[in-house]
């Protein structure tokens, strides 16, 4: 009998996380001996909470809101990727030590590659709407994949300016109010804001002004946001956000369980149900 592999996701709140559904689906599918739990850790108790996971023999865990930055101080090692993105979302525990990485950029890129197979990031101009945590990973991914120029626009300009420090030569910032003016200058448009999410206001943008861009949203509830619906109705190529969530889970699963899991339609339907 192989060892029982304990993994999970830490966050606060955590009840609505889709990660246990994804990882336990894979654990069953690949007939592995283990489990993946949602673990609520209050921000005031992060160190003790993580210490308990080490003591209980966990192999690793995902990290979600609000711990993605705070966990960095507790890691023994953080890889270059996570350090550049400025957040850790995946931790492996080995001999009581914590190794942090970030798989959000990977998730973003793999989602596009899997669902827009003829799209090539190299040399593209990109428009990134938003400058929060998710935008960080998206901008990093665009740079890694060889995008030519990245335009960032965010309601709070200072946050866009901070994000531009990743590569000031390639990143340009425009005012949030001017977002409609650049829609036809780019090959990919990514909404990383929470606008358009169920119960949130819609993203107000005249997406029909773009002609050749691929439009994608990191929001996946609803799966087809107004942004994606309007784009589709105008014959614009779109990729939904659910694949980013599914693909970002794969490297952690591989690190802890030794199996590269696949993203399937069955898994996507399960997570969306
Ligand atoms: P995440 O980590 O998921 O990216 P976040 O860091 O809270 O979450 O970022 C949310 C993003 O949505 C930000 O870019 C935010 O803009 P601000 O930086 O100005 O807060 C954007 N956002 C949220 N509500 C918005 C609104 N009503 N109008 C414009 N942008 C909004």
């Amino acid at each position: 009998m192989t060892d029982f592999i304990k993994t999970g996701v830490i966050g606060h709140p955590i009840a609505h996380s889709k990660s246990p559904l994804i990882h336990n689906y894979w654990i069953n599918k690949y007939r592995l001996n283990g489990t993946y739990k949602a673990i609520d850790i209050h921000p005031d108790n992060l160190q003790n909470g993580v210490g308990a996971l080490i003591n209980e023999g966990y192999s690793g865990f995902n990290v979600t809101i609000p711990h993605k930055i705070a966990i960095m101080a507790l890691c023994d090692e953080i890889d270059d990727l996570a350090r550049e993105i400025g957040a850790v979302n995946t931790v492996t525990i080995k001999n009581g030590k914590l190794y942090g990485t970030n798989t959000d950029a990977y998730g973003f890129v793999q989602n596009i590659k899997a669902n827009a197979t003829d799209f090539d990031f190299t040399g593209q101009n990109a428009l990134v709407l938003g400058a929060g945590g998710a935008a960080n990973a998206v901008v990093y991914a665009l740079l890694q994949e060889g995008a030519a120029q990245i335009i960032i626009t965010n309601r709070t300009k200072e946050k866009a300016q901070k994000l531009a420090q990743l590569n000031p030569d390639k990143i340009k910032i425009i005012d949030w109010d001017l977002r409609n003016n650049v829609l036809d200058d780019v090959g990919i448009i990514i909404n990383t804001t929470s606008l358009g999410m169920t119960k949130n206001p819609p993203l107000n943008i005249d997406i029909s002004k773009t002609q050749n861009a691929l439009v994608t949203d990191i929001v996946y509830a609803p799966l087809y946001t107004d942004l994606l619906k309007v784009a589709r109705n105008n014959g614009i190529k779109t990729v939904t956000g659910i694949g980013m969530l599914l693909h970002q889970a794969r490297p952690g699963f591989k690190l802890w369980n030794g199996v590269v899991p696949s993203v399937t339609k069955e898994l996507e339907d399960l997570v969306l149900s």
Side-chain angles (χ1 to χ4, degrees):
M1 193 70 173
T2 52
D3 283 350
F4 188 82
I5 297 172
K6 291 183 184 172
T7 53
V9 55
I10 65 165
H12 182 80
I14 198 64
H16 298 293
S17 170
K18 301 280 188 190
S19 293
L21 206 56
I22 300 169
H23 282 263
N24 288 312
Y25 167 88
W26 284 332
I27 287 170
N28 278 332
K29 178 173 171 173
Y30 299 107
R31 299 181 184 282
L32 300 171
N33 187 25
T35 191
Y36 183 103
K37 289 186 179 165
I39 303 152
D40 197 318
I41 299 182
H42 190 275
D44 294 344
N45 193 38
L46 184 59
Q47 188 160 10
N48 287 339
V50 168
L53 300 183
I54 297 174
N55 291 338
E56 288 167 31
Y58 270 69
S59 297
F61 52 90
N62 285 121
V63 185
T64 190
I65 295 166
H67 303 315
K68 283 187 181 191
I69 294 171
I71 193 71
M72 296 176 82
L74 301 179
C75 287
D76 295 278
E77 272 181 37
I78 296 169
D79 68 8
D80 292 346
L81 181 69
R83 204 176 292 283
E84 281 217 44
I85 294 174
V88 159
N89 77 338
T90 302
V91 172
T92 300
I93 306 173
K94 267 189 200 148
N95 301 323
K97 292 200 158 148
L98 304 182
Y99 298 86
T101 186
N102 190 302
T103 66
D104 285 332
Y106 173 87
F108 169 72
V109 170
Q110 292 303 310
N111 183 35
I112 301 294
K113 289 188 173 172
N115 293 294
T117 45
D118 53 354
F119 182 81
D120 184 358
F121 284 96
T122 319
Q124 295 280 2
N125 292 336
L127 173 63
V128 177
L129 301 153
N136 244 309
V138 166
V139 170
Y140 179 85
L142 290 166
L143 290 167
Q144 283 296 101
E145 291 295 310
Q149 190 183 51
I150 300 166
I151 303 170
I152 304 177
T153 184
N154 193 49
R155 177 181 60 178
T156 311
K157 201 171 184 178
E158 294 72 32
K159 277 165 78 180
Q161 281 161 340
K162 191 150 179 274
L163 193 46
Q165 288 167 9
L166 266 177
N167 189 329
D169 293 339
K170 288 196 170 181
I171 301 174
K172 179 178 148 185
I173 293 157
I174 62 160
D175 285 348
W176 181 241
D177 291 343
L178 300 180
R179 60 195 179 281
N180 283 325
N181 296 3
V182 292
L183 297 177
D184 214 17
D185 302 339
V186 295
I188 181 166
I189 297 168
I190 308 113
N191 175 41
T192 76
T193 74
S194 48
L195 295 169
M197 199 183 285
T198 311
K199 293 185 187 155
N200 284 3
L203 170 65
N204 189 353
I205 194 164
D206 191 1
I207 202 66
S208 64
K209 279 191 176 167
T210 190
Q211 293 189 355
N212 298 310
L214 173 69
V215 176
T216 184
D217 205 325
I218 65 151
V219 172
Y220 58 83
L223 183 60
Y224 289 97
T225 55
D226 285 350
L227 169 72
L228 296 181
K229 275 193 213 157
V230 174
R232 272 206 314 189
N233 290 343
N234 282 277
I236 297 163
K237 280 176 294 180
T238 59
V239 174
T240 66
I242 189 66
M244 180 170 170
L245 174 76
L246 301 176
H247 282 279
Q248 67 75 30
R250 295 172 65 216
F253 192 86
K254 162 75 169 44
L255 282 168
W256 308 320
N257 297 288
V259 174
V260 181
S262 11
V263 167
T264 58
K265 178 77 171 59
E266 185 186 48
L267 174 60
E268 182 177 319
D269 290 345
L270 177 74
V271 171
L272 290 171
S273 65

